[in-house]
Amino acid sequence: MGTEQKTLFKIDKSKCQKCGRCINTCAGMVLAWGADGFPKIKPFERFGWRGCWRCQHCLAVCPEGAVSIFGKDPGESLPPAPPEMGGYMERLIVNRRSCRRFLDKNVDPEVISSMLRAMSAAPTGGNACKVEYTVIDDKDRVRQIWKKAYAKMDADAKKHIYTHSFDDFFYGKMKESEKTVRKGDLLFCGAPHLFIAHERCAGKWAEDVKVNCNIATAYFELLCNAHGLGAIIMSYPAEVLNELAPEAREMLGIPGDHYTKLMVGFGYPEIPYARGVQKDRSERIHRYTDRDI
């Protein structure tokens, strides 16, 4: 079977209006007009830069739902967000906060599954989509990992041994925070669940891998907030697992050569927020208009 056949690209000629939108949005440039006047897919060497990017733009852009690819039914795709979503998105960003106190209960598994389905569409460079997601969706399992990592971290701290970004001062401040904001847990902030975006980090695309994982982390954190969950993006716990407690990292089942700089702790928040904050960073925004020329 040829590579182009593996795409299962199909046109419903009874619906196709020959508008050419699918051709003009094909990043891999493998769509063209066929002899019958309808779009067709050309033979290509392999998926990626030398062929189809698996982006499904052709399916998404067709106004009549005439395009199918990879066996996907366009009728099963979600519709575009309504215009008023812009205002809701602004409110989401303004109101999202780092949650450091969680309820000791598991999140509804279907809520987690729904978010992970949405994460399938998180963007990556070159549409590579090789980022993997590890989710600890049971609080008791998180507790097992926490016990091993926390014990090693605290024992090392007594000997003034820390991760590369910490020292006596920073660790002391974090220990102090356990009395209030971190509720007895400076490591995971008591989060009942963990999300880690990771990917093999090697070769000339290593820096892209880091960006891809960080983008996925940000997307998941926003999804948590959109679902009314508390979430916190954490770098220090990742340092502890990578540098001080490899045994705890092994409990995550993540390969050793995968990038794991950030993780998200999430769950039901103990303290809800009543309003957004009022930050002003206008002095850090640089806009260039005709008036500046």
Side-chain angles (χ1 to χ4, degrees):
M1 180 183 292
T3 307
E4 71 280 6
Q5 291 176 294
K6 292 181 181 179
T7 64
L8 302 177
F9 180 82
K10 295 181 180 179
I11 292 289
D12 186 336
K13 295 182 179 180
S14 69
K15 295 180 179 179
C16 179
Q17 301 298 305
K18 302 181 181 180
C19 65
R21 294 182 184 182
C22 58
I23 294 174
N24 291 329
T25 57
C26 178
M29 296 171 285
V30 293
L31 295 185
W33 294 110
D36 58 359
F38 291 96
K40 70 169 186 178
I41 192 163
K42 300 182 292 184
F44 56 88
E45 183 178 337
R46 62 176 181 265
F47 290 104
W49 283 91
R50 299 182 187 276
C52 171
W53 282 17
R54 296 190 178 98
C55 65
Q56 299 185 37
H57 280 212
C58 54
L59 177 148
V61 77
C62 180
E64 306 299 328
V67 178
S68 174
I69 193 166
F70 301 117
K72 305 297 183 182
D73 179 358
E76 296 180 357
S77 293
L78 292 174
E84 61 268 24
M85 186 58 68
Y88 286 117
M89 192 66 188
E90 291 173 10
R91 286 170 59 181
L92 176 64
I93 291 174
V94 170
N95 280 274
R96 62 142 302 280
R97 303 260 67 80
S98 291
C99 180
R100 296 181 177 89
R101 293 180 70 101
F102 298 87
L103 297 180
D104 184 25
K105 61 184 294 188
N106 284 332
V107 171
D108 182 347
E110 183 49 43
V111 172
I112 298 177
S113 295
S114 178
M115 292 192 297
L116 291 175
R117 284 193 293 270
M119 285 298 296
S120 297
T124 59
N127 206 58
C129 298
K130 293 182 179 179
V131 180
E132 300 179 32
Y133 307 141
T134 290
V135 180
I136 311 299
D137 56 7
D138 180 76
K139 65 185 183 68
D140 293 333
R141 181 60 173 171
V142 171
R143 188 70 179 178
Q144 292 172 358
I145 297 170
W146 175 86
K147 283 183 178 179
K148 189 172 288 291
Y150 194 100
K152 182 62 164 60
M153 172 196 71
D154 215 32
D156 282 353
K158 290 179 173 61
K159 295 180 287 187
H160 307 285
I161 298 173
Y162 304 103
T163 67
H164 72 275
S165 69
F166 263 51
D167 56 23
D168 285 341
F169 171 78
F170 290 118
Y171 193 79
K173 293 294 289 186
M174 292 284 273
K175 287 293 285 187
E176 182 182 352
S177 74
E178 289 187 326
K179 300 174 184 177
T180 55
V181 65
R182 285 185 168 83
K183 196 181 178 180
D185 179 13
L186 69 85
L187 187 61
F188 293 158
C189 298
H193 304 304
L194 298 175
F195 168 93
I196 306 100
H198 55 94
E199 183 179 342
R200 182 174 180 272
C201 190
K204 64 179 180 180
W205 303 111
E207 291 304 312
D208 286 1
V209 165
K210 297 176 184 179
V211 173
N212 292 340
C213 290
N214 293 345
I215 289 174
T217 299
Y219 268 60
F220 187 81
E221 192 260 4
L222 281 176
L223 273 172
C224 286
N225 280 270
H227 282 271
L229 301 176
I232 179 169
I233 297 175
M234 306 179 292
S235 60
Y236 175 65
E239 289 181 12
V240 171
L241 294 179
N242 288 330
E243 300 175 27
L244 303 179
E247 300 87 354
R249 179 193 162 109
E250 289 177 4
M251 296 174 71
L252 295 171
I254 298 175
D257 60 350
H258 279 215
Y259 173 82
T260 54
K261 176 64 177 177
L262 300 174
M263 59 177 63
V264 179
F266 68 101
Y268 294 116
E270 179 187 283
I271 303 175
Y273 284 81
R275 61 193 60 81
V277 298
Q278 301 177 39
K279 295 183 178 181
D280 181 5
R281 296 182 180 176
S282 55
E283 76 281 359
R284 296 180 180 273
I285 298 174
H286 309 285
R287 298 175 63 181
Y288 298 94
T289 66
D290 291 341
R291 295 188 301 274
D292 301 319
I293 299 176

